[in-house]
Amino acid sequence: MGVFERFLSAWVALAIIAGTALGSFFPSAFEWLSAFEFAQVNLIIAVLIWLMIYPVMVQVNFAAITQIAKEPKGLILTVVINWLVKPFTMALVGWLFFKGIFADFIEPETANEYLAGVILLGVAPCTAMVFIWSQLTKGDANYTLVQVSVNDIIMIFAFAPIAALLLGVTDIIVPWQTLLLSVGLYVIAPLIAGFITRRYITRSNSDSDNDNNKALTNFDQTMKPWSIVGLLLTVVLLFGFQAEVLLTRPLDIAMIATPLLVQTYGIFAITFIIALLIKLPHRIAAPACLIGTSNFFELAVAVAISLFGLQSGAALATVVGVLVEVPVMLSLVWFANRTKHWFASS
């Protein structure tokens, strides 16, 4: 394990501090950077996430994807957690905190907007960063791709009805530009690039599987530091964009973050326990647990803005979800790696 990976949590902590400080001292620079967006997708962050995902896609072996049908339990677990459990537990946890525990500290209208924001996060499973978390746990790249792809297909049909049900509204409009652009940028484009790169690497070597695997491993090791740099720069930008909110409304940030943390660790625990009980191998179990806990924040932010407005509590809640995700997910990656011996090794 290289120095980047060994001290990744420390680097992320420094990136959070640096992003917040830079955003505070140079707000105009970050305003300029934040303007590079289309359909609520910041194009600079999109490039950095693409840099992280591309090496993972090179490891995808299309010939092996057909074998996933022989191991359906991990895929079923992902679908059940993401669509039959997670949205409803998020609504319950949000209601408990914003309508109960924090009720004396928040105006009722603001509480409703915060609740709506966290619900939108709960209904939108992640498309992009999942590949990074899977790679950090040495998850099965082929299986993770299928899990994410199935989630994206279900999202097209299920996002609006579930969000409408939990928000108590009837006119949820799916921001198709955001959804399709994100899937294109974070799944289809890097997958095609990865496929072409893999073909080039394997054709440049002999037909020996050992030579091909060695060449792919060397490529992965070469690219891994760049993936980590992409992750750290993403964190700097995310916290730089929201530096003013972080420094001027810390109590609101803390109140929104609390149910999100409870939800994230709770869903992870549920998925983790089920994965143990059904005897999933770690290469499938770890990504399944992490997919269930991460969120498609671009989609959630876009819907929150369209329904409640840019300055609404709902939009703020989705942004807080963005900020807490990386450090929280890294803690879960650490736990998943530390408990690898609890799972089947196949």
Side-chain angles (χ1 to χ4, degrees), residues 5 130-140 144 268 282-288 290 329-330 332-338 340:
E5 290 178 272
V130 163
F131 294 107
I132 310 307
W133 314 137
S134 177
Q135 182 187 45
L136 291 174
T137 58
K138 294 181 171 58
D140 186 323
T144 302
F268 181 90
H282 185 266
R283 61 185 174 81
I284 296 175
L290 297 168
M329 293 303 295
L330 284 173
L332 294 175
V333 165
W334 174 87
F335 181 82
N337 287 332
R338 294 281 294 188
K340 184 175 182 178

Side-chain angles (χ1 to χ4, degrees), residues 161-213:
I162 295 177
L165 172 66
L166 294 176
L167 293 176
V169 298
T170 58
D171 56 348
I172 293 286
I173 299 175
V174 177
W176 292 107
Q177 280 187 324
T178 302
L179 179 56
L180 296 177
L181 178 62
S182 296
V183 171
L185 283 174
Y186 302 143
V187 180
I188 298 175
L191 182 61
I192 292 172
F195 173 77
I196 294 171
T197 304
R198 185 183 181 92
R199 286 287 295 267
Y200 174 79
I201 291 173
T202 54
R203 283 185 174 182
S204 299
N205 294 280
S206 66
D207 291 332
S208 167
D209 287 341
N210 287 335
D211 288 345
N212 287 333
N213 290 335

Side-chain angles (χ1 to χ4, degrees), residues 142-268:
N142 303 316
Y143 209 104
T144 302
L145 173 62
V146 173
Q147 288 170 306
V148 170
S149 299
V150 170
N151 257 344
D152 288 342
I153 293 170
I154 294 174
M155 194 180 330
I156 292 172
F157 301 99
F159 175 83
I162 295 177
L165 172 66
L166 294 176
L167 293 176
V169 298
T170 58
D171 56 348
I172 293 286
I173 299 175
V174 177
W176 292 107
Q177 280 187 324
T178 302
L179 179 56
L180 296 177
L181 178 62
S182 296
V183 171
L185 283 174
Y186 302 143
V187 180
I188 298 175
L191 182 61
I192 292 172
F195 173 77
I196 294 171
T197 304
R198 185 183 181 92
R199 286 287 295 267
Y200 174 79
I201 291 173
T202 54
R203 283 185 174 182
S204 299
N205 294 280
S206 66
D207 291 332
S208 167
D209 287 341
N210 287 335
D211 288 345
N212 287 333
N213 290 335
K214 183 177 180 181
L216 289 169
T217 299
N218 289 339
F219 175 84
D220 184 58
Q221 293 302 316
T222 301
M223 291 298 299
K224 190 164 289 184
W226 292 104
S227 294
I228 301 301
V229 168
L231 173 62
L232 297 178
L233 289 177
T234 300
V235 173
V236 170
L237 286 177
L238 290 176
F239 278 81
F241 291 154
Q242 303 302 326
E244 182 181 356
V245 174
L246 284 167
L247 296 175
T248 59
R249 301 176 64 179
L251 181 59
D252 292 77
I253 301 298
M255 287 191 291
I256 295 169
T258 301
L260 290 175
L261 292 174
V262 172
Q263 161 78 359
T264 301
Y265 286 115
I267 284 293
F268 181 90

Side-chain angles (χ1 to χ4, degrees), residues 56 78 107 119 145 214 225 284 287-288 321 327 331 341:
V56 181
T78 298
E107 294 294 327
I119 287 174
L145 173 62
K214 183 177 180 181
I284 296 175
S331 72
H341 60 285

